[in-house]
Amino acid sequence: MMHEFLQHILRTLEVGAIFVVPAVVICIAALAVAFIVTKKRGRSFDWLRAAAILILCGWFVLTVYVTLLRGENMSSYYNFQLFLAWQEAWNRFTLQVWLNVLLNIALFIPLGVLPLVFRYAEKWYLMLATGFLTSLAIESIQLVTRRGMFDVDDLFTNTVGAMLGWGIVMAIRAIIRKGDGWKRRCLAFAAVPASVILSISSIFVVYALKPYGNFPDAPTRTAKIDRIDWRPAFTPSDTAETARVYKVGRLSQAESDSFAADFAAKQGIEFTETYYYDDFIMYVSRLTGDFLDLYQQNGTWSYKIGRDRFPTFDCEPTEVDRDTLASLLAEYGVVIPPEATFEYEPRGSMYNAIFDAALIQSGDDYYYGTVTCQLGVDGDTTLLQEISNSMVMMSPSEEVSVCSQSDALERLYAGHSFYGTRLEYYDGYIIEVVSCELELMADTKGYYQPVWRIEIMNGNEQFIDFVPAR
């Protein structure tokens, strides 16, 4: 099955073809007329230039559709932080976020044929200016018409794409024309796309060589919280510590599909629809109303049970005892260690029954995380409606050094926390730091790395933030 985002791209191109094909046909007709007139005058027809005009015509129509026509009206929005999209792609390192970056480069590659139509574009600096100004015009129109957002990252990637196409076209033309010094010119032109491809490839090589992954929610910019008056409720330690990194492992698509098939078989259902997203896969049974969300990053999952298949209990939600729930969860393949804590949490008219395992050892491995059972009420009957299994079995990887509590708080105060941008709403307030404790968080490669979990209070409002511990 294909990734949902790729399907979305293909659908967009398919609809865009409705506009492109007529435009190309009209362009071909105009070029045919030009060919006839040229032949009648006894001149040679420049087929290469004609092909370039045809490419530019199709590219222009498709670009207008993709950037200006397909979106709905939205509030004016802009981004002036250069490389924000690249930082987000690095943090999350998923197909969709990287395609958002790479497709913006690919979109402007056809503009690189411009030198075949206009001689001025043979000069690299004029081509650079053309690519930039074309992208600037599109971004400005998007902002004014509210058909998109003004994004400096798009300006950068579009311009890179135009120069990438220019370098390829100019190198190929140097090879075709030959002449004195053609090899030198070809190498000079080819250096442009080669440097772009090498730079982008190096990002993926560096990531592949990293022993651990990235935190998807790691900060992408420094929060502006200079006027917050921080009040720690404790004296932070200045001593650097050590903590373990644990391995869980990512699930491949094949492993995910196999897990879902086994899960469905145990429940006596069949998942008839599958939707592939970045970090999770959704398995759906429309017949029974069952939904399974499987997170490939660490193998955790969430299961919404079909309405006619709710397990029931003839008692109040808070009277459903621990052993009964643990036994029922075993039927879904969930093992609850005896040492796990258990509590009820009110949630409107429902309750969450939560099992929590904080590094419970089992042989050489450890249970870590929570299992949450959503309990609803129907008259005098309690219903198990949903299971969220965030409990994993981890194996120790290595012991690593982590920063001290004092260093962690300094990173928080400096605006370098995971959710620091949310704290910008409290800039100028007095904020109490209640606690700062080490916790484990999943990264993009299926490892759990240590982070500092910081609890802060603004009056009676609680806020949880995180700071990288390494």
Side-chain angles (χ1 to χ4, degrees), residues 3-24:
H3 191 286
E4 292 300 309
F5 186 68
L6 287 176
Q7 291 189 16
H8 170 70
I9 295 298
L10 293 177
R11 287 193 295 268
T12 299
L13 294 177
E14 183 179 352
V15 177
I18 297 175
F19 298 91
V20 172
V21 171
V24 169

Side-chain angles (χ1 to χ4, degrees), residues 112-131:
V113 303
L114 206 60
L116 302 180
V117 181
F118 302 106
R119 289 183 62 86
Y120 86 90
E122 294 178 0
K123 300 184 184 327
W124 71 266
Y125 53 89
L126 293 179
M127 184 65 212
L128 181 70
T130 300

Side-chain angles (χ1 to χ4, degrees), residues 36-263:
I36 294 172
V37 172
T38 301
K39 283 300 181 180
K40 283 185 177 181
R41 293 179 178 178
R43 300 176 183 176
S44 61
F45 187 73
D46 192 340
W47 289 100
L48 191 60
R49 186 181 187 189
I53 292 174
L54 200 61
I55 291 172
L56 286 174
C57 175
W59 168 81
F60 176 78
V61 174
L62 180 63
T63 301
V64 169
Y65 167 72
V66 169
T67 59
L68 300 175
L69 299 181
R70 69 183 179 90
E72 298 180 356
N73 287 340
M74 57 185 293
S75 299
S76 296
Y77 183 63
Y78 50 84
N79 166 49
F80 290 121
Q81 181 182 339
L82 187 59
F83 299 125
L84 174 63
W86 295 78
Q87 182 62 57
E88 290 175 345
W90 172 258
N91 286 351
R92 297 185 179 278
F93 228 91
T94 60
L95 177 64
Q96 180 171 333
V97 291
W98 274 117
L99 280 178
N100 281 330
V101 173
L102 299 180
L103 286 176
N104 272 306
I105 295 176
L107 181 64
F108 265 57
I109 289 178
L111 188 60
V113 303
L114 206 60
L116 302 180
V117 181
F118 302 106
R119 289 183 62 86
Y120 86 90
E122 294 178 0
K123 300 184 184 327
W124 71 266
Y125 53 89
L126 293 179
M127 184 65 212
L128 181 70
T130 300
F132 176 81
L133 292 174
T134 302
S135 178
L136 179 61
I138 292 173
E139 295 299 312
S140 300
I141 294 173
Q142 283 183 315
L143 181 64
V144 172
T145 62
R146 299 185 177 183
R147 306 294 290 188
M149 63 175 287
F150 185 99
D151 194 339
V152 293
D153 274 334
D154 288 350
L155 288 177
F156 175 76
T157 52
N158 291 163
T159 305
V160 168
M163 293 306 296
L164 176 60
W166 177 87
I168 294 172
V169 168
M170 294 296 289
I172 293 175
R173 193 173 75 164
I175 294 174
I176 294 174
R177 290 185 174 181
K178 302 259 181 193
D180 295 337
W182 72 272
K183 291 183 179 179
R184 176 181 54 79
R185 293 197 307 275
C186 180
L187 289 175
F189 293 136
V192 176
S195 61
V196 172
I197 294 172
L198 183 61
S199 298
I200 295 175
S201 298
S202 66
I203 297 174
F204 291 85
V205 171
V206 169
Y207 179 79
L209 294 177
K210 280 165 47 75
Y212 304 118
N214 305 325
F215 292 121
D217 293 326
T220 54
R221 71 175 177 85
T222 301
K224 299 176 182 178
I225 51 176
D226 299 334
R227 296 186 300 115
I228 289 182
D229 184 1
W230 297 100
R231 303 284 180 89
F234 60 95
T235 301
S237 170
D238 293 325
T239 305
E241 302 183 32
T242 62
R244 277 181 175 176
V245 175
Y246 296 85
K247 181 178 181 179
V248 175
R250 288 185 62 93
L251 293 180
S252 66
Q253 182 173 312
E255 291 170 333
S256 301
D257 291 342
S258 177
F259 173 86
D262 291 341
F263 188 95

Side-chain angles (χ1 to χ4, degrees), residues 308-447:
D308 296 331
R309 304 181 59 257
F310 291 150
T312 60
F313 309 91
D314 295 325
C315 59
E316 296 293 326
T318 55
E319 295 175 355
V320 181
D321 64 86
R322 170 201 175 102
D323 292 340
T324 299
L325 271 180
S327 177
L328 180 60
L329 287 171
E331 298 178 13
Y332 295 91
V334 180
V335 177
I336 302 296
E339 299 88 349
T341 61
F342 179 70
E343 65 175 347
Y344 297 99
E345 177 186 78
R347 187 184 175 190
S349 61
M350 299 182 293
Y351 282 84
N352 284 338
I354 305 172
F355 296 90
D356 190 357
L359 286 178
I360 297 175
Q361 190 166 4
S362 176
D364 295 330
D365 297 328
Y366 294 81
Y367 287 99
Y368 184 78
T370 61
V371 177
T372 302
C373 299
Q374 180 178 294
L375 303 177
V377 178
D378 183 10
D380 296 329
T381 304
T382 296
L383 313 173
L384 175 58
Q385 299 175 325
E386 184 175 344
I387 303 170
S388 296
N389 180 21
S390 298
M391 189 180 294
V392 295
M393 179 69 82
M394 310 187 304
S395 58
S397 178
E398 69 169 324
E399 194 87 10
V400 296
S401 298
V402 298
C403 67
S404 66
Q405 281 185 329
S406 295
D407 290 336
L409 293 187
E410 287 302 318
R411 294 179 183 180
L412 171 71
Y413 302 159
H416 297 153
S417 62
F418 283 20
Y419 308 126
T421 53
R422 299 181 189 175
L423 293 173
E424 291 177 343
Y425 296 104
Y426 305 115
D427 199 24
Y429 286 72
I430 296 176
I431 302 294
E432 181 184 14
V433 182
V434 178
S435 65
C436 180
E437 303 293 338
L438 279 174
E439 194 171 283
L440 294 170
M441 181 177 290
D443 68 19
T444 53
K445 287 189 175 182
Y447 288 88

